[in-house]
Structures are given as C-alpha cells and as structure tokens.
C-alpha cells in the first residue's frame, strides 16, 4: 500500500529527513506498478459475438425448447445467464447451444455444445487465444474456507461453483490466475480422455485431486449430476478428495 499522506505530514512535522522515509514510498509505488502489470498480462482479450447468434427465449420454438431442456437436464437455469443459438445461415454453429464466458462483464470466449448428438464434433470453440481464458474468475476472487474446484468443462464447473479451464492442461496463465486465490485447490479430472494429464499437473503443483465416481457410465461431474443429482455429486467430491501420494496412486485407477 502507498504511505498515507497524513503519515508523510507527520514525518515532515518532526523534521524527519526525506532520505529516511522516501525510499519506502518509491518502493511501494514500484511494487504496486509491478503487481498491476502482472495482473494485466493475464487478462484475456475482449471479443464480440457473431451477428448470427441470438439469445435463447422461452417461445416454444424447436431449438429454444431443445436448449432450455438441455440446460434443465444439466441442473442449469437457462435464465441464470445469457445463452445463445445460431440462425440457420451459420452452418458451423447451427444446432448448438452457445455459452458465453465473461471476465468483469466483458465477453472473452464462447463455445457451442451440439444439441442433437448427431455430429461427431460435440463442442466447437471460439477462434481466439484461450491461454488466459477461464470460467469462474468470481470464484477465484471469492473468500471462502471451502476448496476451489477446478474442472475441464464449463458444464462440470458451473453447477458446483467451480472453475473451468476448457481443456485438459493448465496454461501458465491459468496457474497464475488460480494462485491468486488462497483457497485450497482441488482438481476433478475427467475419467476418460486425457484427464490424467491434468491430474498429474495438479500433483506437481501441490494441489489436491478428487475422484468422485467409480461408475463406468459417468465420465465427469456433469454426467454425474445428470445421473445422481447435484447434492450426491457434491458429497462424493468432498469425500473422495486425495492429497499427495494417495492422490498419485488413485490417478492410474481413476483416469482410464
């Protein structure tokens, strides 16, 4: 923090030489400047949505109904934040529910989840750098004694008030963001795919790992919620959090 003006007035009133206190003021200013530069170096860029996207409305049209039902099945209120669809002229995004991601109310990212499961590529992402992109900046800043849960996907992180990294590997900027929080970090890797890579990263950072599912039909938090419900999943996450060597042993069994 900068030295309060009244403190400086006090030093001058007692004729304390500038050389005795001015270096501390300069040091604090330089430290504040460095911290500001470090912060802005990890702030993601602002982007805009394509004009072909339109916000979901409860108007009983086919795609709106599909999208609202899809969110409901994943324990997400469609009114809790804006969600979008693409008009039929945008073939790449048509038939997907589009989820925007914000930082300080600025749009920084969006992705689309295919609604019919007819396409091989279920997810499509915005064409932008995602090295600093996270969902859940507000959860990083939130002061709490509870752990901060880190997942790969938005649909996993959103219902449990966690953080999503949108991939199976943490970038340097992701780590810098997450280390801004003093909360205990708990990674919940996907059972299938490359969840092991994220889990091994967590171990190397000294973070904990949760292994909440043993059911072969459940690959991640979102599918677990759809099958067992939110409260059961939260309980399982808490009860199956491992640390250190114990976590390392479980990675080989859990991440298939």
């Amino acid at each position: 923090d900068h030295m309060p003006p009244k403190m400086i007035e006090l030093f001058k009133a007692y004729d304390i030489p500038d050389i005795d206190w001015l270096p501390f003021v300069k040091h604090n200013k330089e430290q504040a400047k460095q911290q500001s530069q470090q912060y802005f170096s990890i702030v993601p860029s602002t982007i805009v949505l394509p004009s072909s996207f339109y916000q979901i409305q409860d108007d009983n049209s086919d795609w709106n109904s599909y999208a609202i039902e899809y969110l409901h099945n994943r324990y997400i209120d469609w009114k809790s934040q804006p969600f979008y669809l693409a008009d039929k002229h945008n073939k790449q995004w048509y038939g997907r529910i589009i989820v925007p991601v914000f930082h300080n109310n600025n749009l920084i990212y969006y992705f689309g989840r295919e609604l019919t499961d007819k396409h091989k590529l279920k997810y499509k992402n915005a064409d932008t750098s995602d090295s600093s992109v996270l969902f859940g900046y507000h959860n990083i800043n939130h002061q709490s004694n509870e752990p901060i849960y880190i997942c790969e996907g938005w649909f996993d992180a959103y219902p449990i008030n966690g953080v999503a990294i949108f991939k199976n590997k943490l970038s340097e900027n992701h780590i810098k963001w997450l280390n801004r929080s003093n909360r205990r970090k708990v990674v919940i890797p996907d059972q299938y795919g490359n969840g092991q890579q994220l889990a091994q990263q967590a171990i190397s950072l000294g973070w904990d790992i949760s292994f909440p599912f043993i059911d072969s039909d459940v690959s991640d938090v979102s599918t677990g919620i759809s099958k067992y419900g939110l409260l059961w999943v939260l309980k399982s996450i808490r009860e199956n959090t491992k640390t250190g060597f114990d976590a390392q042993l479980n990675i080989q069994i859990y991440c298939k």
Side-chain angles (χ1 to χ4, degrees), residues 101 188 225 238 242 252:
V101 180
I188 310 173
I225 291 172
R238 286 193 294 269
K242 310 292 183 181
Q252 306 300 327

Side-chain angles (χ1 to χ4, degrees), residues 168-214:
N168 50 42
K169 184 178 181 181
L170 290 156
S171 70
E172 288 185 13
N173 284 353
H174 289 156
I175 295 168
K176 288 177 182 177
W177 268 113
L178 288 159
N179 279 336
R180 291 173 65 87
S181 172
N182 293 323
R183 295 167 65 184
R184 177 187 178 195
K185 283 82 172 173
V186 178
V187 165
I188 310 173
D190 288 0
Q191 282 208 75
Y192 304 103
N194 293 318
Q196 186 172 4
Q197 182 173 233
L198 177 59
Q200 292 291 0
Q201 261 192 305
I203 292 289
S204 68
L205 291 165
W207 299 352
D208 299 335
I209 304 177
S210 180
F211 307 93
F213 310 113
I214 55 172

Side-chain angles (χ1 to χ4, degrees), residues 232-248:
W232 185 93
V233 167
L234 288 171
K235 182 173 182 288
S236 183
I237 289 170
R238 286 193 294 269
E239 292 178 349
N240 292 283
T241 296
K242 310 292 183 181
T243 63
F245 184 68
D246 196 12
Q248 183 72 62

Side-chain angles (χ1 to χ4, degrees), residues 93-204:
W93 292 87
Y94 185 65
R96 298 178 185 275
I97 182 169
I98 299 155
V99 182
V101 180
F102 302 94
H103 173 255
N104 287 344
N105 295 319
N106 295 315
L107 179 72
I108 57 166
Y109 192 67
Y110 57 88
F111 70 92
R113 184 15 167 117
E114 206 268 333
L115 284 170
T116 63
D117 287 332
K118 292 181 179 179
H119 295 89
K120 184 177 180 180
L121 187 64
K122 291 183 179 180
Y123 287 92
K124 181 173 176 57
N125 302 315
D127 185 17
T128 185
S129 172
D130 59 1
S131 63
S132 291
V133 168
L134 295 166
F135 162 74
Y137 298 98
H138 58 292
N139 292 325
I140 293 173
N141 295 329
H142 179 61
Q143 299 298 315
S144 172
N145 293 325
E146 292 295 315
I148 186 166
Y149 294 117
I150 303 154
C151 308
E152 292 183 27
W154 186 92
F155 286 105
D156 301 316
Y158 188 87
I160 63 172
N161 292 322
V163 171
I165 64 170
F166 299 105
K167 53 179 66 179
N168 50 42
K169 184 178 181 181
L170 290 156
S171 70
E172 288 185 13
N173 284 353
H174 289 156
I175 295 168
K176 288 177 182 177
W177 268 113
L178 288 159
N179 279 336
R180 291 173 65 87
S181 172
N182 293 323
R183 295 167 65 184
R184 177 187 178 195
K185 283 82 172 173
V186 178
V187 165
I188 310 173
D190 288 0
Q191 282 208 75
Y192 304 103
N194 293 318
Q196 186 172 4
Q197 182 173 233
L198 177 59
Q200 292 291 0
Q201 261 192 305
I203 292 289
S204 68

Side-chain angles (χ1 to χ4, degrees), residues 54 56-74 76 78 83-85 94-98 113-118 155:
Y54 62 94
I56 290 174
Q57 302 290 332
D58 189 11
D59 63 2
N60 295 321
S61 62
D62 287 344
W63 286 120
N64 277 287
S65 298
Y66 271 129
I68 291 171
E69 183 178 1
Y70 182 85
L71 291 169
H72 176 75
N73 291 337
R74 289 193 170 223
I76 296 168
W78 69 276
F83 295 97
Y84 294 85
L85 295 165
Y94 185 65
R96 298 178 185 275
I97 182 169
I98 299 155
R113 184 15 167 117
E114 206 268 333
L115 284 170
T116 63
D117 287 332
K118 292 181 179 179
F155 286 105

